[in-house]
Amino acid sequence: MNPPAGFWRRYAAYSADASAISLLALPLLWSRLQDAWFVFDEGLPTLQSRIWELLDLSLAREDAPLRMLGLFTGDEVLRAGMAGLVVELLWLALAVSLVLFAVAAAWFISFESSRWQASPGKRLLGLRVTDVHGARCGPGRIALRVVAGIPSWFALHLGHALAAWSPGKRALHDYLAGTRVELAPGAPAAMPPGGRSWLLLQAALFFGAVGFIGLRYVQLIVEVARGGL
């Protein structure tokens, strides 16, 4: 058998596959996303307007802090509006999850049970999926591998992170499905340059987003502080 694939190389391959799967799923979800956008676009301004009305009512009273809590928790308009947005958000999350899972299942089962033994992302990074003996997996075992990955999502990816320190670099779904991810024949032991660039791009986007959000919070705090002086 070939050497097992390292964690970061596996992640680079998976994130490339996930990007392609998301693009394939987008047309299937487009109408649902548009409906959700319309609901939130209509509902949020109404909620904001009602919140300001309640604030004005509560601040006009002497027992403002206590009255504010009662007004917010007891206001039927506010409660109904928030409940409607929560329900819409839950339905959207369910629709997105089901469509992404269906597309991902078709993607991984078709590619990883083929003669490639690898999804396009794994193939680009020089990886392949085998059983514990190094043999090619059939569609049934790959389907089990896909389903076995669900617990890791609910466990905050701890099952996926297992590939970073387990003896055979196997994730939880590999243990459950009896599979392993190894270097493909002839693949270099080191991470390919394209894989490193892909990881660096993701890191730059992540820290850029965190920095932007942090900056916006600082600006908001400064504006509030200036307004209170």
Side-chain angles (χ1 to χ4, degrees):
M1 293 189 296
N2 293 330
F7 173 79
W8 288 111
R9 193 160 176 172
R10 288 185 60 166
Y11 169 76
Y14 175 78
S15 58
D17 285 321
S19 299
I21 289 168
S22 298
L23 290 176
L24 290 174
L26 184 59
L28 302 176
L29 290 166
W30 188 252
S31 62
R32 188 68 188 84
L33 292 172
Q34 285 183 314
D35 292 341
W37 176 265
F38 176 78
V39 171
F40 279 89
D41 190 52
E42 291 290 318
L44 284 177
T46 302
L47 283 181
Q48 291 172 348
S49 176
R50 186 57 181 170
I51 288 172
W52 285 116
E53 291 176 5
L54 293 175
L55 284 173
D56 289 338
L57 288 173
S58 63
L59 293 175
R61 300 175 181 269
E62 294 180 357
D63 54 347
L66 295 177
R67 298 291 299 179
M68 186 183 300
L69 180 61
L71 285 171
F72 275 98
T73 57
D75 186 74
E76 292 297 330
V77 175
L78 188 61
R79 290 168 59 185
M82 292 182 66
L85 293 183
V86 169
V87 170
E88 180 64 25
L89 184 62
L90 290 175
W91 278 114
L92 177 62
L94 179 61
V96 170
S97 298
L98 291 176
V99 171
L100 284 177
F101 180 79
V103 175
W107 178 274
F108 288 113
I109 293 171
S110 60
F111 283 117
E112 293 182 353
S113 63
S114 70
R115 60 183 182 82
W116 282 5
Q117 297 181 242
S119 61
K122 289 185 177 69
R123 187 170 172 82
L124 287 172
L125 272 295
L127 308 177
R128 70 175 184 177
V129 180
T130 71
D131 65 13
V132 292
H133 304 293
R136 176 178 168 181
C137 298
R141 187 178 294 275
I142 299 300
L144 176 60
R145 187 173 188 270
V146 172
V147 174
I150 295 176
S152 294
W153 288 94
F154 288 104
L156 302 178
H157 297 289
L158 291 177
H160 296 131
L162 189 63
W165 65 77
S166 62
K169 304 296 183 182
R170 298 170 71 195
L172 177 61
H173 54 277
D174 289 313
Y175 283 103
L176 294 176
T179 59
R180 63 192 296 270
V181 180
E182 65 178 23
L183 297 182
M191 172 86 78
R196 290 197 297 271
S197 299
W198 175 239
L199 291 177
L200 289 173
L201 174 61
Q202 292 182 68
L205 291 174
F206 173 77
F207 287 111
V210 170
F212 176 78
I213 294 172
L215 180 61
R216 292 298 297 165
Y217 270 111
V218 171
Q219 290 176 337
L220 179 61
I221 292 172
V222 171
E223 290 174 2
V224 172
R226 288 177 176 175
L229 293 178

